[in-house]
Amino acid sequence: MKPSLMPSSPILPGEPFRPEQTQEILDRFYRDGFAVIPQVLTPGEVASLRQVTDELFADPALAGTRYIEGKFILRNTLELSPLFRDMLVREPILNLAQAIVGQDCQFCGQNVLRNPPGVAIARWHVDDVVEFPLPDGVARHDPRLRMPVQWFTVQMALTDIESEEDGPTQFVPGSHYSGRKPNDPDHPVFGGRGPVSMLCRAGDIYLQNNQCWHRGAPNRSHRTRYILQSQYAARWATRRFGDYTRVPVPEDYLRSASERFQRVYGYRPAPAGPSY
Ligand SMILES: [Fe+2]
């Protein structure tokens, strides 16, 4: 065999799950809005990903740029290290993404959250908007439906998150069927069930329907919490909201265009508001 010219990556290629394992995971994911899968990443991969994250947060060239948001979110990671690029196609993760949003699924985001004590996205929310809203008179979506998923997040724990104090992601099971935003700022309840904590060990991963009510519990421990997240979308969505919107318009035209045009084209920044 010809020797590879590329240096070997600490990220392994991995193997897809067997079809029956995938089905069991997807059944939980569609029912609850999340599904944990223990020990997918090796200790070596976890250590390498934490190390590159720390190096990037410490890089003075990235301070104050679009690569670091709020001092604890590392964004645009594919641009920053081949390790993150390898993680996008790491199995069984890609195979699960293909099973959920299609064989031709595409990347739609990758970040690392590095939460020191006291820092978290602790507000209960769904990402962006409620995609399938219901009017006041309709209590919930029919449980016989499988709620559509057009994009979703794979969360990968890079540290142990073993107690409430460690700032786990929390979910309200089944709340992607609510058709609503979280119904209480502190203790939302859906179908008689309150929040559950995603306690996990470094190397565990969990799938997250972004329409399921969730938050990061406040980190009250002395540990920093590391989560790598990869996001995958259906091909139609990346074509519609990605490819079709990358139509160059001359900069001098944009600068002098009406505010209405600038907003519709996307030249002006989006109104303030979190979208994670
Ligand atoms: Fe979120």
Side-chain angles (χ1 to χ4, degrees), residues 121 123 125-128 155 208 210 214-215 275-276:
I121 304 169
R123 167 187 64 82
H125 66 284
V126 299
D127 289 346
D128 301 315
Q155 309 268 28
Q208 171 174 319
N210 304 300
H214 64 277
R215 72 167 188 161
S275 63
Y276 21 70

Side-chain angles (χ1 to χ4, degrees), residues 229-240:
Q229 44 184 222
S230 289
Q231 295 166 328
Y232 300 87
R235 176 73 184 109
W236 75 263
T238 53
R239 194 165 53 223
R240 174 64 57 194

Side-chain angles (χ1 to χ4, degrees), residues 184-201:
D184 188 275
D186 300 315
H187 194 82
V189 173
F190 181 73
R193 301 182 71 183
V196 299
S197 292
M198 180 57 63
L199 303 182
C200 51
R201 306 288 303 273

